[in-house]
Amino acid sequence: MTNLTDYLKQERNAAWREELRKSKKNKERTTIERIKMPEADPGERSRSYVEVNSGLTHEQAVGEASRCIDCANPTCISGCPVEINIPKFIKNIECGEFLKAAHTLKETNTLPAVCGRVCPQEKQCEASCFYTLKLKKDPVAIGYLERFAADYEQKSGNVSIPAVAESNGIKIGVIGSGPAGLAFAGDMAKFGYKVVVFEALHEIGGVLKYGIPEFRLPNNVVDVEIDSLKKMGVEFETNFIVGKTATIDDLREEGFKGFFTGSGAGLPRFMNIPGENLVGILSSNEYLTRVNLMGAATTGTDTPVMKGKKVAVVGGGNTAMDSVRTALRLGADKATIIYRRSEEEMPARVEEIKHAKEEGVEFLNLHNPVEYIGTEDGKVKQVRLQKMELGEPDESGRRRPQPIEGSEYIIDADTVVVSVGVSPNPLIPQSLPDLKVTSWGTIEVDPDTFQSSVPDIFAGGDIVRGGATVILAMGDGRKAAASMHNYLTSKANS
Amino acid sequence: MYKVVSKKFFSDNVVSLDIEAPRIAKARKAGHFVMIRVDEKGERIPLTISSADIEKGTVNLVVQTVGVTSKKLAELEAGDYVTDLVGPLGQATHVEKFGTVLACGGGVGVAPLLPIVEALKKAGNKVISVIAARSKDLIILEEQIKEYSDEVVVMTDDGSYGKKGLITEGMEEVINSEKVDQAVIIGPGIMMKFASMTTKKHNIPSIASLNTIMVDGTGMCGACRVTVAGKTRFVCVDGPEFDAHEVDFDEMLSRLQGYKDQEQKANDDYSCVATKKRK
C-alpha cells in the first residue's frame, strides 16, 4: 500500500501536473457543471441497436477533466477495484494528451473501453470523489472520461500494447474468457508466462459478448481489447470445456503449471412458480444469448428468438434492464419490468434505469409474479401478480419485500423473461472432487490470494462471488495473477 | 474449424458424418452429446454422439434432416468443415449389470442408442433391442445394433420391413416372453412418451435420453428445462438421461414446438435459396 501511495505522490509531483494545477483556481474548477453524456434519441434508439451513449467530444472531455482538482489525497482511487491512477489519466486529458491518458488506464486496467461503459461508477470511484464526499456536488464524470480516453486510443489506430517480460516458458491455463479471465491473462502475459485461455463458447469475451447488449457495449469495442491480449501473446482456444473436453489432469500432463478459473455464474435461476415452463417463458441468459451471441435479431442468421408484443421481465438488475430494452428493440409494443422491491433497492445502474424509462419501459415495482397462465397449446398468455410492501431490512440491508394479501391481479404477456439471478456454473467443481466449494456452489478461495483448496488452481469473478460486476471480476483476476506469480516464483526457488 | 472426414446417407433424409475432433473422441462416453454450429450464421444444436474412433480422432453423428441446420449438415461433403463443435457434454449413461435390458430405439434415435447398447453388452447384460421406424428405408444401424444385442426386433409402421406395428407392440412382445430388468428408450418425443407408458405398465425401470432445444449446452440458457418428478431439471447438465417414468413428456413436446413458426419460416426460406442455387 505504501508503494502505491509513494508512487501516486511521485506522479502527482511531476512538473506538468503542478503546472496544470496552478493554471486554474480550484474555485473556478468547482463551479463548472458536470457534463451530460450525449445520447441517441430515445425514440430512435429503442428501435435500433445503436449505442445509447454517444461519448464525449474532445472539448467536452477536456472541460470535464478540468473539473478535477487533482487532490493530494485522491480518494477516488480507493473506490476503484483495479486502482486506476485516476487523477493522472484525467489530467492527461485536460492537457490534451489523450493517448497518454489511455496508457495510464492500461497500467492497471486490461479493458478500459469496456469499464468506461459498464462499471457502476456511481457506487465506486465517483462515489468517493472529492466532489461527492466534501462538496456535495456531482462528481467528476470519471467513467465518461475513461471511456473517452480508451475510445480515442481505439479510434487512433495506434493501440498501445503493454510491455511483456521475457518469456519464462511456464504454461498457465485460464478457464473462461470473461472479464476475470481476460484481466488475469493480461497480467500473467506481462509477467512473461505463456497463457492459454479456454472458452466453452465459440466467441471470446464471456458475458461481455453473450450478455451485455450491443446498444450498451458494442462487440467491436470488446474485440479491440481482446486483440491487444493476442498481440501480447495470449492464446485462445474456443469450444473447449475444461473438465469435459479435457480434464485438469490432462492439462497438467500437457505441461500446464497453474490454472485460473473464471468460469462465471452461468446457471439461470427460476422462481419455481406454477406455469414457469410454459412456452414463451425464458431466462434472461437465453434471451440475451440468442440476440447478442447468436445474432438472432439480424437477418440471415439461423437462430430464432421470441419477438413478443407484450413482454414482461422479472427482476431489477442490469440484466433485467438489458432484457427489457432488448424486447423493445425486437418490436415489443409493451415492455414491463416486474420487480418485488422499490426503485431505491434496484441493483441496476442508475443510468440503465434512466435509459429504460426514457425508452418507454413500464415499471411495476413492488410486484411479484405468483403464477403464469397458458393457452391451450402451452404458450404463456398471462401473469398473475401480487403486490408487495417493504418490511424490515434483511441480511443484505435492503428492506425485505412482503406480499400484500388479497392484492393479486392478472396482466397479459406473450413473452416473459426471468432475470432473478444466476447460480455458479457447476462444471468445474463437478470435474474436480478435491476442490472446496461453499454451500452456494461457489469456489472457496483465500480472500487475499484467490488460491483455492487445490494449490495450482486459483479462481475469481462470479464463480467465487456468486454474482457481481465486470470490474470486481477484473480486480479478482489481477490479484489472482499477482499471487499466482508469487506462488510459482517461490515454488521454483524452494 | 472441424473437418468432415466422411459422410454417408442411411436414407434420403438420414445422414451419418464422421467429424475430426480428437479430444472429444477420446473423452466421450456413451450418452454424451456435442453442440454443433455449421457456419458463422448457424445456430447451435445438440447432437448425441453415436460412436467415436480414438485413433482417427473422429466422432460420428447421425442427423435427420428436419430443419435448416440439419439440412446444412446433410449438404456437407467429406473435406468440408463445420465452424464449431464442442463437447462431450451431459452426464454419461449409468452402465451396470442389470440382467436383461430392453433397448428401444425409434427412427434416428437408434444412433445415440448404439453406444449405450454396446456399453451395456460389454457390462455383461443380456441386451434385447427393438428398433422401429415408419418404413424400411428409415431403419438405420441394424447391423451395428445386432453386433451388441442378443436379439433384435425390427418394427415398421407400414410393415415394409421386420414386423408391422408400432415400437410399443414389439416391446410388449419381448416383455411378455421374458423378464426384463431395465429399459433404455431413445427416439422422437412422442415415441418415448408411449414407450415409457409401456414399461411403466410392466414396472420396468427405464431411462429416456431427451433431445430438447438448447443454445449453449453448458447450463447457461435454461432453454432445455424439463419437469422430472415434479422438479425443473436442465437436460444439458442434469441429463440428457432421466427416469423415463418421471419425465413430463407432454410439457417437453410442447416446449419442443416453442420456435415452430420461426423454424418453419427459416426452413421455407432456406429451401427457397437452395432451390435457386441448384438452378
Side-chain angles (χ1 to χ4, degrees):
Chain A
M1 219 47 213
T2 332
N3 283 343
L4 178 69
T5 318
D6 288 349
Y7 160 76
L8 291 174
K9 202 179 274 175
Q10 201 186 331
E11 290 282 352
R12 187 174 181 271
N13 289 339
W16 70 272
R17 290 269 288 272
E18 283 189 22
E19 204 178 306
L20 200 59
R21 277 197 297 276
K22 285 182 195 150
S23 70
K24 208 175 253 176
K25 289 204 171 77
N26 280 353
K27 207 169 178 185
E28 199 182 331
R29 294 182 187 275
T30 54
T31 50
I32 306 169
E33 290 282 315
R34 177 181 159 117
I35 189 74
K36 287 202 167 53
M37 172 60 84
E39 293 171 355
D41 174 73
E44 278 167 38
R45 77 190 190 220
S46 66
R47 301 290 157 181
S48 83
Y49 291 87
V50 62
E51 192 175 4
V52 173
N53 284 347
S54 324
L56 304 182
T57 63
H58 292 194
E59 294 71 32
Q60 287 172 326
V62 170
E64 183 64 23
S66 69
R67 290 182 70 219
C68 170
I69 60 170
D70 199 4
C71 306
N73 174 23
T75 42
C76 51
I77 298 178
S78 58
C80 174
V82 296
E83 294 174 328
I84 290 175
N85 189 343
I86 293 169
K88 183 181 170 190
F89 101 79
I90 291 183
K91 290 299 110 181
N92 267 310
I93 292 179
E94 188 183 344
C95 57
E97 295 283 357
F98 303 146
L99 282 178
K100 280 189 186 160
H103 298 168
T104 306
L105 291 168
K106 282 187 166 176
E107 286 171 15
T108 57
N109 187 343
T110 324
L111 312 168
V114 173
C115 293
R117 287 171 166 82
V118 304
C119 265
Q121 288 98 5
E122 75 267 15
K123 291 177 189 159
Q124 298 176 344
C125 51
E126 294 182 14
S128 42
C129 171
F130 182 76
Y131 278 74
T132 318
L133 296 179
K134 295 285 182 328
L135 303 179
K136 307 294 170 202
K137 284 188 176 177
D138 287 337
V140 174
I142 302 169
Y144 297 170
L145 292 173
E146 178 180 27
R147 172 183 161 171
F148 170 79
D151 281 4
Y152 180 85
E153 193 200 26
Q154 284 203 357
K155 282 181 206 144
S156 73
N158 189 9
V159 176
S160 69
I161 307 302
V164 171
E166 198 184 328
S167 169
N168 61 21
I170 301 172
K171 270 209 291 191
I172 302 297
V174 181
I175 303 163
S177 68
L182 294 178
F184 175 88
D187 277 12
M188 289 304 269
K190 283 185 200 167
F191 294 145
Y193 291 89
K194 182 174 165 45
V195 184
V196 183
V197 181
F198 300 100
E199 168 55 49
L201 291 170
H202 57 264
E203 280 269 354
I204 301 159
V207 71
L208 307 174
K209 284 285 179 65
Y210 74 75
I212 305 176
E214 195 71 9
F215 57 81
R216 198 149 76 83
L217 177 63
N219 279 348
N220 61 21
V221 170
V222 184
D223 285 332
V224 174
E225 314 251 34
I226 290 166
D227 205 47
S228 296
L229 287 172
K230 285 182 181 165
K231 286 183 179 146
M232 290 164 71
V234 175
E235 285 175 35
F236 291 91
E237 276 217 46
T238 53
N239 296 323
F240 197 116
I241 303 175
V242 175
K244 292 279 187 187
T245 311
T247 61
I248 291 268
D249 273 340
D250 293 335
L251 295 173
R252 283 182 184 131
E253 265 176 43
E254 290 173 28
F256 285 88
K257 300 295 181 208
F259 299 91
F260 174 77
T261 303
S263 49
L267 298 205
R269 280 198 209 129
F270 288 91
M271 295 168 65
N272 296 312
I273 58 175
E276 206 170 23
N277 289 347
L278 288 164
V279 169
I281 302 178
L282 63 170
S283 72
S284 48
N285 272 3
E286 179 181 351
Y287 195 58
L288 294 173
T289 300
R290 284 178 181 275
V291 176
N292 300 337
L293 180 74
M294 306 307 298
T298 320
T299 42
T301 58
D302 295 344
T303 304
V305 65
M306 309 255 174
K307 293 183 177 169
K309 289 291 164 201
K310 288 180 181 170
V311 181
V313 176
V314 185
N318 285 320
T319 315
M321 297 306 142
D322 287 344
S323 301
V324 79
R325 296 170 68 198
T326 296
L328 288 174
R329 286 156 176 81
L330 289 173
D333 296 329
K334 194 175 165 134
T336 309
I337 283 281
I338 300 170
Y339 180 55
R340 63 191 181 132
R341 304 185 203 241
S342 70
E343 186 174 321
E344 208 177 304
E345 291 82 20
M346 271 193 181
R349 290 175 73 208
V350 173
E351 186 179 61
E352 308 313 326
I353 300 169
K354 169 183 163 276
H355 284 162
K357 283 183 180 169
E358 288 168 359
E359 290 167 13
V361 170
E362 291 178 35
F363 285 75
L364 286 175
N365 294 335
L366 290 167
H367 278 75
N368 208 27
V370 288
E371 185 194 356
Y372 298 106
I373 301 156
T375 59
E376 265 176 24
D377 54 351
K379 289 186 183 138
V380 66
K381 64 169 184 184
Q382 287 170 325
V383 189
R384 187 187 300 280
L385 294 173
Q386 187 167 41
K387 290 187 186 170
M388 311 292 280
E389 60 189 356
L390 294 177
E392 294 300 307
D394 62 13
E395 317 83 64
S396 75
R398 295 182 297 177
R399 291 175 66 194
R400 190 192 300 274
Q402 292 163 341
I404 300 173
E405 291 304 320
S407 65
E408 292 180 14
Y409 68 104
I410 287 173
I411 61 164
D412 290 341
D414 56 11
T415 302
V416 176
V417 181
V418 182
S419 186
V420 295
V422 284
S423 308
N425 195 315
L427 280 173
I428 294 297
Q430 264 176 15
S431 66
L432 282 169
D434 298 343
L435 194 68
K436 268 197 199 151
V437 291
T438 64
S439 53
W440 296 93
T442 51
I443 297 177
E444 252 184 65
V445 295
D446 179 301
D448 296 322
T449 64
F450 292 86
Q451 190 170 27
S452 75
S453 57
V454 181
D456 64 345
I457 300 179
F458 292 63
D462 281 3
I463 190 69
V464 167
R465 295 175 177 270
T469 58
V470 168
I471 189 67
L472 284 172
M474 290 181 55
D476 291 358
R478 296 204 65 222
K479 286 172 201 143
S483 63
M484 185 189 281
H485 180 48
N486 273 341
Y487 167 75
L488 291 173
T489 313
S490 62
K491 211 172 134 185
N493 294 338
S494 65
Chain B
M1 299 287 269
Y2 301 79
K3 191 178 182 181
V4 177
V5 176
S6 63
K7 169 200 179 178
K8 69 178 173 209
F9 278 99
F10 285 154
S11 72
D12 283 352
N13 60 358
V14 179
V15 66
S16 158
L17 300 161
D18 290 309
I19 304 179
E20 220 167 57
R23 285 195 187 266
I24 304 175
K26 198 173 149 211
R28 72 98 208 187
K29 291 193 172 75
H32 279 146
F33 68 92
V34 291
M35 296 298 296
I36 192 167
R37 193 172 75 123
V38 184
D39 54 40
E40 288 296 335
K41 305 270 176 189
E43 68 176 320
R44 296 167 62 99
I45 63 158
L47 287 171
T48 308
I49 302 167
S50 58
S51 63
D53 187 324
I54 295 178
E55 271 165 32
K56 286 186 192 151
T58 57
V59 292
N60 178 264
L61 306 171
V62 177
V63 193
Q64 183 164 19
T65 55
V66 282
V68 172
T69 303
S70 49
K71 280 181 187 164
K72 281 183 177 177
L73 276 169
E75 282 167 13
L76 295 175
E77 298 299 339
D80 288 345
Y81 289 83
V82 294
T83 312
D84 301 289
L85 186 71
V86 61
L89 292 161
Q91 304 289 335
T93 308
H94 171 70
V95 175
E96 64 170 68
K97 191 172 174 185
F98 296 104
T100 301
V101 179
L102 180 62
C104 316
V108 75
V110 175
L113 186 67
L114 178 63
I116 300 173
V117 165
E118 180 184 342
L120 287 167
K121 182 66 196 166
K122 286 179 175 165
N125 291 287
K126 177 177 180 184
V127 180
I128 305 174
S129 299
V130 182
I131 60 174
R134 281 201 307 278
S135 59
K136 182 183 176 182
D137 59 323
L138 295 171
I139 294 287
I140 60 167
L141 297 167
E142 185 189 351
E143 285 312 308
Q144 289 86 335
I145 289 281
K146 265 187 183 156
E147 200 183 329
Y148 298 108
S149 304
D150 294 86
E151 195 185 326
V152 176
V153 180
V154 180
M155 306 291 299
T156 52
D157 293 4
D158 62 2
S160 54
Y161 187 58
K163 289 179 188 166
K164 184 176 191 301
L166 297 170
I167 192 162
T168 45
E169 295 170 61
M171 290 166 64
E172 289 274 6
E173 208 172 290
V174 176
I175 295 165
N176 290 334
S177 64
E178 68 181 283
K179 184 178 172 295
V180 175
D181 301 294
Q182 175 73 36
V184 181
I185 299 162
I186 309 183
I190 193 78
M191 167 259 163
M192 290 198 281
K193 177 185 170 181
F194 285 99
S196 299
M197 284 162 67
T198 303
T199 59
K200 191 170 187 180
K201 194 170 73 187
H202 296 281
N203 285 319
I204 299 166
S206 305
I207 59 161
S209 176
L210 310 184
N211 195 346
T212 50
I213 294 172
M214 296 182 191
V215 183
D216 64 293
T218 62
M220 208 180 79
C221 77
C224 64
R225 61 196 198 276
V226 289
T227 303
V228 182
K231 269 192 173 158
T232 294
R233 307 291 299 275
F234 286 11
V235 172
C236 63
V237 286
D238 300 324
E241 292 166 12
F242 294 99
D243 180 342
H245 299 161
E246 298 288 353
V247 173
D248 183 340
F249 281 107
D250 290 331
E251 180 189 273
M252 186 190 90
L253 286 163
S254 155
R255 289 186 59 80
L256 278 171
Q257 302 293 312
Y259 291 89
K260 202 176 105 192
D261 297 345
Q262 289 103 314
E263 281 163 3
Q264 188 57 49
K265 186 176 177 302
N267 223 339
D268 295 346
D269 292 350
Y270 184 71
S271 306
C272 191
V273 171
T275 317
K276 273 186 200 152
K277 262 194 209 158
R278 256 176 253 136
K279 281 176 186 168

